[in-house]
Amino acid sequence: MRLSVLDLVPVRTDQTTADALAATVRLAQAADRLGYTRYWLAEHHNMPAVAATSPPVLIAYLAAQTTHLRLGSGGVMLPNHAPLAVAEQFALLEAAAPGRIDLGIGRAPGSDPVTSIMLRGGRDDSDVENFPQYLDDVAALMSASGVRIPIRNQDYVLKATPGAVGEPRLWLLGSSMYSAHLAAAKGLPYVFAHHFSGQGTAEALAVYRSEFRPSEVAAEPVTFMTVNAVVAPTHAEAQALLLPNLQMMARLRTGQPLGALDLVEDAAAVAMHPQAEAIIAGGRAKAVVGSPAQAADQIRAIAEDFDVDEVMVSPVASAYRGTDPATAPAREVTIELLAKELF
């Protein structure tokens, strides 16, 4: 089985952004050393607990400090950006780290409405209806031939970079049936955000596989699973390390004020209201959490249930008071223990 990592670059209450980035470098280097397949960075904006706002910047940062991992976006939220800007960024990354770059693209804004408008230069129209065309534009612009734009009586050739000899691997991300239908129609590799949604995953993958049309990008359906994970020597410790993330997600889903990710001791002292507790229970049920043997069994079950040969884990463990702020030892332990059990 192949294992990969999704990293939102979480920021704990004891960390600065610089600390969180230092911890991410350590985590990526551990994944590189342990034999993980890919390491993806997310795009979220204006969230106190998430430092991953710019996947291409982080990919370049980690590419210089790792050797084997495929590095990519999980994902770039295309409505926030001009297709040419995305194509230029990832074509350049591919030139700098050939054969190691994935471009995962999503349709959601990855932020609140006000932030989304500011990302688009003050426009309140996300242009979502043009998303399929923009997806095609990104792919064409990254290719060696580029795009020919008719202007008056001649064609204007537009390319993301000169002299391209390779292209990033393009993936479509989603948490709805829309993305499953679109990925199948365009013959793209597809990843359902099971770690975030957890609802409709089997249905979306079934639609994708049944409707898939072969393309130059993929001759047959290509997909894998994403799942939140916390692995520790004991089940009880894993549950304690997971709780701060679950509480943060409950606050997000119930419209409560957000802050940085709590430390384990602080989360244990928090009393949540019944609606939040129900969300926490749901998140716990769909996460991979437990001792190494328990977690490995859960990963195998996920791979079998959804018929995938790769699982991407998002290590969401927090930390105990007194932890070095520039580290995230429980996140590193999660991927180390999984690797020992599954590789």
Side-chain angles (χ1 to χ4, degrees), residues 237-328:
E237 184 177 358
Q239 292 282 5
L241 288 161
L242 173 63
L243 183 59
N245 176 268
L246 295 176
Q247 291 178 345
M248 180 187 67
M249 291 306 301
R251 293 187 186 101
L252 176 64
R253 294 181 185 276
T254 57
Q256 301 301 308
L258 299 178
L261 187 68
D262 280 340
L263 297 172
V264 172
E265 295 89 345
D266 297 328
V270 172
M272 306 290 285
H273 59 77
Q275 183 185 4
E277 287 293 353
I279 294 171
I280 288 170
R284 184 179 287 113
K286 72 184 181 188
V288 169
V289 55
S291 67
Q294 291 170 328
D297 286 344
Q298 293 168 39
I299 293 276
R300 294 188 188 101
I302 288 170
E304 182 176 351
D305 290 346
F306 295 103
D307 190 23
V308 294
D309 57 10
E310 179 177 341
V311 175
M312 176 173 277
V313 298
S314 179
V316 295
S318 185
Y320 292 99
R321 191 172 291 115
T323 299
D324 180 350
T327 69

Side-chain angles (χ1 to χ4, degrees), residues 321-339:
R321 191 172 291 115
T323 299
D324 180 350
T327 69
R331 301 180 75 214
E332 292 183 42
V333 166
T334 290
I335 67 170
E336 288 170 353
L337 294 179
L338 282 177

Side-chain angles (χ1 to χ4, degrees), residues 166-185:
E167 301 171 26
R169 184 73 184 274
L170 190 61
W171 296 77
L172 185 61
L173 282 55
S175 57
S176 69
M177 285 297 183
Y178 174 92
S179 54
H181 290 297
L182 184 60

Side-chain angles (χ1 to χ4, degrees), residues 82-102:
L84 178 57
V86 174
E88 286 184 334
Q89 291 162 359
F90 280 82
L92 197 59
L93 286 168
E94 174 65 24
R100 295 182 59 200
I101 303 301
D102 293 331

Side-chain angles (χ1 to χ4, degrees), residues 21 24-25 28-29 32 39-41 54-72 89-90 92-102:
L21 290 173
T24 275
V25 170
Q29 290 174 333
D32 200 36
Y39 195 102
W40 282 8
L41 291 309
S54 180
V57 172
L58 289 173
I59 289 167
Y61 185 55
L62 295 181
Q65 302 181 78
T66 56
T67 305
H68 305 294
L69 284 171
R70 290 193 66 90
L71 295 159
Q89 291 162 359
F90 280 82
L92 197 59
L93 286 168
E94 174 65 24
R100 295 182 59 200
I101 303 301
D102 293 331

Side-chain angles (χ1 to χ4, degrees), residues 39 104 129 141 148 164-165 167 176 212 219 229 244 260 310:
Y39 195 102
E129 65 272 12
L141 287 163
R148 294 184 178 274
V165 295
E167 301 171 26
S176 69
F212 184 84
E310 179 177 341

